[in-house]
Amino acid sequence: MEHKKLVTAALEARENAYTPYARFQVGAALLGKSGKIYPGCNVECASYSPTNCAERTAFFRAVSEGERSFTAIAIVGGPEGKPIESLCPPCGVCRQVMMEFCDPDTFQILLADSPDHWQVHTLRELLPLGFGPANVLERKEGTSHENV
């Protein structure tokens, strides 16, 4: 995977962010195992609760197009109309969505502030005791209350 290409796609996605309230624009670019890149941006709403993060926009777009396996995501963010000055990690809700679809030990999360500068983290690093599909499937298969 070419990290620079993924970061550049996230920067381009950020330009489409709809942020009339917080004025904090985020872009994401999600790489499917198929090799396809799914861009996403944050979309705010006046009542805040229905607001959707860039990372989840990218995931939901990919899933709606049939992709279910992912290898990496690049995330960029910062105040509207200004250059990005710091890294923008995903919120807890976005990390939970990542846990639904990604292997926490191999999925790469690139936090970038430019096409030439990024950090790479695994999902396990950012969500060390993540709750995912395996937790639900184990419970359905009859684990005892002692193990819950």
Side-chain angles (χ1 to χ4, degrees):
M1 166 192 41
E2 188 181 330
H3 289 149
K4 188 172 189 169
K5 182 178 177 181
L6 201 58
V7 170
T8 299
L11 288 163
E12 290 171 2
R14 180 178 179 248
E15 294 175 16
N16 293 324
Y18 176 74
T19 59
Y21 311 107
R23 304 238 183 257
F24 191 87
Q25 297 178 307
V26 181
L30 177 63
L31 180 63
K33 284 195 178 174
S34 67
K36 185 172 179 180
I37 294 175
Y38 300 90
C41 63
N42 57 325
V43 179
E44 292 183 346
C45 294
S47 63
Y48 292 118
S49 174
T51 294
N52 203 51
C53 298
E55 301 91 313
R56 285 183 286 139
T57 299
F59 269 94
F60 298 161
R61 179 179 182 176
V63 170
S64 75
E65 293 182 23
E67 187 101 35
R68 299 289 191 275
S69 298
F70 306 98
T71 59
I73 191 168
I75 306 165
V76 298
E80 183 179 313
K82 295 182 180 178
I84 297 171
E85 295 181 359
S86 61
L87 302 179
C88 181
C91 75
V93 174
C94 289
R95 294 175 200 204
Q96 187 62 48
V97 169
M98 291 175 195
M99 190 70 185
E100 184 68 24
F101 294 100
C102 305
D103 179 331
D105 295 312
T106 62
F107 184 69
Q108 294 186 335
I109 301 168
L110 286 68
L111 306 179
D113 58 14
S114 77
D116 299 311
H117 180 255
W118 60 82
Q119 293 180 356
V120 180
H121 300 274
T122 65
L123 179 54
R124 174 95 52 215
E125 287 177 295
L126 298 185
L127 190 63
L129 294 173
F131 183 87
N135 298 97
V136 175
L137 295 175
E138 287 173 10
R139 290 178 187 194
K140 283 185 176 181
E141 293 172 2
T143 53
S144 71
H145 292 291
E146 295 170 5
N147 295 333
V148 176

